[in-house]
């Protein structure tokens, strides 16, 4: 309905801009949440700072909870300073509840203004939008990198940008972004997993094993980390360690997409041990 991606919804949920309801393990949004999601989308496109955005969305939801307003009667606006909701020609600032001057009139009084700098979160959301279209991955990378100039240690942006470079087979750039993510968050299992996977791809197996071991240490319940570590261990001839992680993968994801292959490798490894 709103042309949003799962990544966008997850990011906004983490920022507590619009939080999905939970029922029997399923996430869902009600009608007022849809208004909030539309608000978030419009304001991020205008470059609204996240903290101001959070206050505006919360205030809007609170006011809507007291009045049943059709979606078509609301219009959300932003001029670089104020977030307002317009209804029937009247503009109200959601946080204070005060009515404000019409934007068209204000524009006459403020002909000269410096446009606000787009923040790291806005660039991140722009990159996520671009990422949904495979033909625009170069534009997504550019958006991630522009956001990282504003906030160099934004881990999600570092990981996503590195993944895009990995998909383009630019392993050197991918590894650089994953190392930066580790520097920003040394306890991030996904960053170690991604770096280990890149190093395995370029044949640096010992280094790959080191980083994949760290990914498993940080998150023992990460099935893909066990799988990749088992794969690398076999290439290094470390069959006992490989067996440990084939078993770990199967315990965590017995019906996963690579479960049959893991069982084959585990059986082959046991056969080699029996033969000795």
């Amino acid at each position: 309905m709103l042309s949003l991606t799962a990544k966008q919804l997850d990011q906004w949920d983490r920022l507590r801009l619009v939080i999905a309801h939970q029922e029997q393990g399923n996430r869902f949004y009600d009608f007022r949440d849809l208004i909030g999601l539309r608000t978030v989308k419009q304001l991020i496109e205008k470059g609204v700072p996240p903290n101001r955005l959070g206050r505006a969305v919360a205030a809007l939801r609170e006011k809507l909870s007291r009045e049943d307003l059709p979606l078509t009667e609301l219009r959300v606006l932003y001029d670089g300073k104020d977030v307002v909701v317009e209804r029937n020609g009247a503009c109200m600032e959601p946080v204070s509840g005060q009515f404000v001057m019409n934007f068209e009139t204000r524009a006459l009084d403020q002909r000269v203004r410096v446009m606000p700098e787009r923040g790291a979160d806005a660039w991140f959301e722009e990159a996520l939008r671009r990422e949904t279209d495979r033909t625009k991955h170069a534009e997504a990378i550019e958006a991630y990198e522009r956001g990282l100039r504003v906030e160099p240690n934004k881990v999600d942006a570092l990981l996503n940008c590195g993944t895009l470079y990995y998909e383009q087979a630019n392993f050197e750039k991918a590894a650089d972004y994953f190392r930066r993510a580790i520097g920003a968050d040394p306890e991030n299992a996904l960053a170690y997993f991604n770096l280990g996977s890149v190093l395995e791809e370029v044949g640096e197996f010992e280094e790959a094993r080191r980083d994949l071991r760290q990914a498993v240490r940080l998150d023992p319940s990460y099935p893909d980390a066990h799988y990749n570590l088992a794969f690398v261990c076999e290439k290094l001839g470390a069959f006992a360690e490989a067996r440990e992680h084939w078993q770990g993968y199967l315990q965590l994801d017995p019906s996963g997409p690579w479960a049959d292959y893991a069982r084959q490798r585990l059986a082959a490894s046991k056969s080699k041990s029996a033969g000795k």
Side-chain angles (χ1 to χ4, degrees):
M1 292 172 64
L2 299 176
S3 299
L4 299 174
T5 67
K7 282 187 176 181
Q8 286 174 303
L9 294 175
D10 288 342
Q11 173 72 2
W12 296 351
D13 192 88
R14 287 196 298 272
L15 292 173
R16 302 187 64 81
L17 297 177
V18 181
I19 302 173
H21 300 279
Q22 298 280 347
E23 184 175 310
Q24 297 181 345
N26 296 316
R27 297 171 58 190
F28 68 93
Y29 298 95
D30 62 23
F31 176 77
R32 292 185 177 86
D33 292 325
L34 294 181
I35 297 174
L37 288 169
R38 188 184 70 154
T39 302
V40 172
K41 180 181 179 182
Q42 290 176 338
L43 297 183
I44 284 178
E45 288 172 351
K46 295 290 186 180
V48 183
N51 57 345
R52 184 176 300 172
L53 178 54
R55 290 196 301 270
V57 171
L60 178 58
R61 283 179 54 82
E62 181 183 353
K63 288 175 173 56
L64 286 176
S65 69
R66 298 196 295 264
E67 185 174 6
D68 188 15
L69 294 178
L71 186 63
T72 54
E73 289 188 19
L74 293 174
R75 183 181 176 212
V76 180
L77 305 167
Y78 178 69
D79 70 347
K81 179 183 177 183
D82 297 312
V83 176
V84 302
V85 177
E86 181 184 84
R87 184 192 180 203
N88 298 330
C91 294
M92 182 187 70
E93 199 280 311
V95 176
S96 66
Q98 294 178 334
F99 287 94
V100 297
M101 196 183 344
N102 183 278
F103 272 26
E104 286 72 20
T105 303
R106 177 179 295 155
L108 296 175
D109 298 330
Q110 299 180 9
R111 294 179 184 276
V112 180
R113 81 169 64 233
V114 177
M115 294 301 292
E117 185 71 21
R118 178 178 281 193
D121 288 333
W123 281 118
F124 185 81
E125 295 296 336
E126 176 66 22
L128 289 178
R129 284 193 291 273
R130 299 292 184 182
E131 199 175 331
T132 60
D133 185 344
R134 296 192 65 84
T135 66
K136 295 183 178 179
H137 278 190
E139 296 176 22
I141 288 173
E142 181 183 0
Y144 281 129
E145 291 180 335
R146 294 187 70 170
L148 286 165
R149 293 187 202 122
V150 179
E151 189 178 332
N153 291 330
K154 190 174 180 63
V155 175
D156 286 348
L158 291 167
L159 292 172
N160 288 6
C161 196
T163 300
L164 289 177
Y165 275 120
Y166 177 83
E167 291 174 355
Q168 295 179 358
N170 189 335
F171 301 126
E172 183 178 354
K173 290 286 285 185
D176 178 61
Y177 275 97
F178 297 145
R179 288 189 180 100
R180 286 175 60 186
I182 290 169
D185 182 7
E187 300 297 306
N188 192 299
L190 178 58
Y192 282 101
F193 170 79
N194 286 354
L195 179 57
S197 300
V198 171
L199 294 173
E200 183 274 325
E201 193 80 38
V202 298
E204 297 181 21
F205 300 125
E206 283 290 358
E207 293 80 1
R209 178 165 66 167
R210 176 199 63 208
D211 290 313
L212 290 167
R213 280 173 171 172
Q214 184 69 347
V216 169
R217 185 189 71 79
L218 290 169
D219 187 0
S221 63
Y222 192 172
D224 288 353
H226 284 280
Y227 182 95
N228 282 20
L229 180 53
F231 191 78
V232 167
C233 286
E234 282 205 347
K235 289 189 175 183
L236 290 169
F239 298 111
E241 186 176 357
R243 282 197 300 273
E244 175 189 348
H245 294 290
W246 289 130
Q247 290 169 343
Y249 171 77
L250 289 170
Q251 287 172 0
L252 293 165
D253 197 7
S255 58
W258 301 286
D260 288 342
Y261 181 79
R263 290 188 182 94
Q264 291 172 13
R265 299 312 306 154
L266 190 58
S269 178
K270 289 179 178 177
S271 296
K272 287 181 181 178
S273 297
K276 292 180 181 180

